[in-house]
Amino acid sequence: MKTILIVSQDPLLTNLAERLLTPRFRTIVLGGMVSAVDAIYNDIPNLVIAEVPSGDDATVESINNLKEDPMFNQLPILAVIGDQPTPEWEGIFVEDYLRKGDLEKDLFSRVSLAVSRSERVVEINPLTRLPGNISINRQIEDRLGRGDLFSFAYADLDYFKPFNDKYGFSRGDEVIKITGRLILNFVKNRQPKGSFIGHIGGDDFVFIMEPGLIEGACGDIIRAFDQIIPTLYDSEDRERGGIQSKDRRGTARFFPFMGISIGVSGTTIRSFSHFGELTGAASEMKHFAKKTKGSSYSMDKRAGRSA
Amino acid sequence: MDSIDIRTQRTRIENINALPTVPGTVKRISQVIGKPGVTLSEISHFVSSDPALTTKVLKMVNSAIYGFPGRISSVSHAIMLLGLSVVKGLLLGISVFEIMQQVMAGLWDHSVGCAVVARAIAEKKGVKDAEEVSVAGLLHDFGKVILMLEFQPYYEEAMKQAASRKVPIFEAERAVFQETHAAVGTWLADRWRFPPNLVEVIECHHRPGSAKKAPLETAIVHFSDALVRARGFGFGGDSLVPAVHPAAFELLALSDADIRDLLDKLENSRDESGGLSL
């Protein structure tokens, strides 16, 4: 059964909502958004109905904070407002709203619709919940079209395949999830607004940032990656500094700990007419980075127009 | 009311979602979160100084939502993986003890003291993740928090018995609950999918000889527990200094100079901010 979290201090509202939604849905009632966030962290519901009283900035802030994380970005939130004028929805990350006076008539139907809509496939990578290729291409094309100045990074892992082969795919998946999370958090830390992180697939990731910020983020990501990755190896392999596994030709050899290689290009040094040129340039830089032993990044310094 | 078989209460314990913290921590949360441009390492430092915040962060990162069950035992790694906005949400959701505040404050000091000493020993012994050992020191007694929180009258009885019979608190616990805080902590740590090494330290900190996966870490926390009590830091539920297991002491092979150095570190950690800090 789908779970609906109802967040309001108004007993009239919560009682009404519970009456309208049960027995079709399982309902949980909480008094405030702060405790609701905590409950959501424990167990993600299928939808949140939150009363957003006019001028209640704390509730809006909690909602926005929650929705900024990709793990919870897909969680639909239905705001309930009173008789106040409709708020500016721009800065409030909810999917839909209802007025208190319309609950009796519309709540059940709106909730059912929102739940089924959220179940339709969204283009995200199921492992990392980061946007995939369609969104990545659109992000790049939009920025190129607007003539934005931005930097683009292409990252992948060194020695991921032997790790996957030796320990199995579920532990390989953990590495991918950790990589996605680290990139996301360190990019967002340096540039909370206007940055973008995508997951192409496998161990390939991309991110877009303001040119002045990207080099710092690359350094952060590499440091964090190199700290965490060794802890994912079995203790004997960790002592040894790597694993015995097979290379692409099937020959057994020793592989050191995985590293991350990042190539960076961007519109400040050259102009690009379409996304393929830009991703190609970043990918070339990534190959430079790969030649360095261990994790590293490589910045495109080649001026002029790309061929 | 004098005793209860805690094993019959295991489900109730496993359904606990979070530990409350002491009032001092709650006051500092808004300062830390509200600080403009607060860094991940500042937040890690703060979280690592409080057992309740540490369990919250580790529980979240090892949960099915993030999908790293049993993998992450370091606070700084957890915070890098969760990110600032999730951690802020977690910290704001913490509640505070309404009961036994003085005993809890004593237990908090004891726990932080153990974390400081455990980290210092781990560094001396060249353990790869000194931070993980520090976390184990911080959380080794978290079963006590659960017992005090959920079974307060019984726990008061256990503390009374420990004092009147002059026995260690875990013996008094066994008389009152049939089990000790080490077992209770282990149930919940398992349920919260804490990494196996951390679970083992919590389980075996009074009998380090039984540790299989993390014997060194367990010996470190076992010894830290005794040293912090000997120094009169905080309050672990009784006023005795427990005997150090000889095999554990041999395994650590600490010299007198090492131990003096550990005591200095403990002392310095107290001086830093009036209270204890890592």
Side-chain angles (χ1 to χ4, degrees), chain B residues 70-119:
Chain B
R71 286 275 168 229
I72 310 296
S73 43
S74 129
V75 170
S76 64
H77 295 177
I79 286 175
M80 288 191 273
L81 291 167
L82 293 173
L84 215 47
S85 52
V86 167
V87 174
K88 283 182 180 176
L90 278 175
L91 298 193
L92 286 172
I94 197 103
S95 55
V96 64
F97 279 115
E98 305 293 346
I99 56 155
M100 299 173 85
Q101 300 215 353
Q102 217 168 345
V103 177
M104 288 298 179
L107 181 58
W108 250 231
D109 284 351
H110 170 70
S111 302
V112 177
C114 282
V116 170
V117 174
R119 178 196 290 263

Side-chain angles (χ1 to χ4, degrees), chain B residues 19-20 91 150 200 261 265:
Chain B
L19 304 181
L91 298 193
E150 297 288 318
E200 188 174 78
D261 184 44
K265 288 217 163 72

Side-chain angles (χ1 to χ4, degrees), chain A residues 34-35 37-38 40-44 62 65-66 68-69 71-72 171 173-175 177-179 181-182 185-186 189 220 223-224 227-228 231-232 234 238-239, chain B residues 17-18 40 56 59-60 63-69 71-72 74 76-90 92-94 128-129 131-132:
Chain A
V34 168
S35 47
V37 166
D38 207 49
I40 293 164
Y41 286 167
N42 275 315
D43 195 6
I44 308 184
S62 294
N65 195 39
L66 178 73
E68 272 168 15
D69 190 289
M71 289 293 166
F72 305 101
R171 283 177 67 179
D173 284 354
E174 282 175 7
V175 172
K177 282 189 275 191
I178 283 176
T179 308
R181 250 351 253 191
L182 291 178
N185 287 332
F186 285 105
N189 267 359
D220 290 346
R223 264 189 303 279
Q227 257 187 48
I228 295 184
T231 68
L232 301 176
D234 286 350
R238 194 168 176 200
E239 290 300 320
Chain B
N17 265 330
L40 289 180
K56 225 165 184 243
K59 179 184 173 228
M60 180 82 180
S63 75
I65 297 179
Y66 282 94
F68 314 124
R71 286 275 168 229
I72 310 296
S74 129
S76 64
H77 295 177
I79 286 175
M80 288 191 273
L81 291 167
L82 293 173
L84 215 47
S85 52
V86 167
V87 174
K88 283 182 180 176
L90 278 175
L92 286 172
I94 197 103
K128 284 234 160 66
D129 291 295
E131 196 196 326
E132 291 181 10

